[in-house]
Amino acid sequence: AQSVTQLDSQVPVFEEAPVELRCNYSSSVSVYLFWYVQYPNQGLQLLLKYLSGSTLVKSINGFEAEFNKSQTSFHLRKPSVHISDTAEYFCAVRRSGGSYIPTFGRGTSLIVHP
Amino acid sequence: DGGITQSPKYLFRKEGQNVTLSCEQNLNHDAMYWYRQDPGQGLRLIYYSQIVNDFQKGDIAEGYSVSREKKESFPLTVTSAQKNPTAFYLCASSVGLAGVYNEQFFGPGTRLTVL
């Protein structure tokens, strides 16, 4: 079985500052990794994913995450945040190959202050 | 536009009543899922279905029931046996369960409040 730990429940940051949302996973087999974003009272939207290949993956709105197998991490970063990035962010992991259901972390609330 | 619809967005029910949450998708996806979201607890899987007329219990299935009579529809019934039903419920779908086709697409959610 796999598990996900999002180390921070809340991350406050000022607009235009850099941010890192941390995600660590536990799995004895190879995995796929995902970051989802949820705006208030909405469903989740996929932000980016790592399936294979390059360990650095990027989203269209400036976020990026790096898969680090040795540290079992998939931290999400953005060099300069905007007010509109205020949302809940969820990291998810699932076993690669086969038919498996993703496991979600508890979420990190990113609060961007003006 | 293809997507997932959930209705209603807000639902109020009295304690002891069963209530059914609707989930419809027009993405032609085989797999569908129901999650419950509570503050600080992330998403917890209630039920999932890989194909019509088949579904499996997730981590917190007690007090819930589902059906999958059509590919597009996966309604969730919250029964009176569910001890703490007030929560935000999310429906999702994916092409399938296998490999890279497991990427999930989510509906907008239904917020259920039991009075």
Side-chain angles (χ1 to χ4, degrees):
Chain A
Q2 64 266 358
S3 65
V4 182
T5 301
Q6 291 186 243
L7 296 157
D8 306 295
S9 59
Q10 207 172 77
V11 173
V13 64
F14 286 107
E15 194 172 17
E16 296 183 5
V19 70
E20 178 180 84
L21 306 184
R22 297 181 291 169
C23 173
N24 285 91
Y25 69 92
S26 173
S27 177
S28 58
V29 297
S30 61
V31 296
Y32 298 147
L33 292 154
F34 307 84
W35 274 103
Y36 286 85
V37 59
Q38 182 183 35
Y39 299 102
N41 291 312
Q42 294 185 27
L44 277 67
Q45 303 170 34
L46 182 67
L47 194 57
L48 44 76
K49 61 187 176 185
Y50 170 78
L51 302 179
S52 64
S54 173
T55 57
L56 182 65
V57 290
K58 299 184 179 186
S59 72
I60 59 172
N61 58 352
F63 282 95
E64 63 180 38
E66 185 156 21
F67 170 53
N68 188 318
K69 189 175 181 179
S70 63
Q71 297 188 8
T72 60
S73 68
F74 191 55
H75 300 333
L76 182 69
R77 301 183 181 96
K78 189 172 185 179
S80 175
V81 294
H82 191 267
I83 294 283
S84 60
D85 293 323
T86 295
E88 191 86 14
Y89 291 80
F90 292 92
C91 182
V93 63
R94 62 149 291 200
R95 188 171 169 170
S96 65
S99 298
Y100 303 102
I101 309 290
T103 298
F104 286 82
R106 295 190 170 208
T108 296
S109 179
L110 174 64
I111 303 168
V112 181
H113 297 285
Chain B
D1 283 337
I4 302 175
T5 57
Q6 290 186 244
S7 61
K9 191 168 179 62
Y10 299 96
L11 189 55
F12 297 88
R13 279 295 181 268
K14 291 183 179 178
E15 196 171 337
Q17 289 182 334
N18 290 358
V19 60
T20 297
L21 281 59
S22 168
C23 176
E24 304 276 333
Q25 55 99 358
N26 61 4
L27 299 168
N28 199 32
H29 285 173
D30 283 318
M32 297 187 75
Y33 315 77
W34 274 106
Y35 291 92
R36 172 180 171 139
Q37 185 179 12
D38 296 282
Q41 295 200 44
L43 274 67
R44 293 184 289 168
L45 183 66
I46 305 172
Y47 269 98
Y48 67 98
S49 167
Q50 295 188 66
I51 199 167
V52 174
N53 292 323
D54 181 65
F55 47 84
Q56 307 294 329
K57 291 183 179 180
D59 301 318
I60 57 165
E62 186 175 350
Y64 299 97
S65 66
V66 293
S67 63
R68 188 86 188 275
E69 297 177 1
K70 298 187 299 180
K71 187 175 185 177
E72 310 79 37
S73 179
F74 191 41
L76 173 75
T77 296
V78 184
T79 76
S80 56
Q82 169 49 234
K83 291 183 171 50
N84 184 18
T86 293
F88 191 52
Y89 290 88
L90 287 162
C91 179
S93 70
S94 63
V95 171
L97 247 66
V100 298
Y101 300 109
N102 188 253
E103 178 184 328
Q104 294 177 315
F105 295 80
F106 284 82
T110 292
R111 188 167 295 281
L112 173 64
T113 302
V114 176
L115 306 170

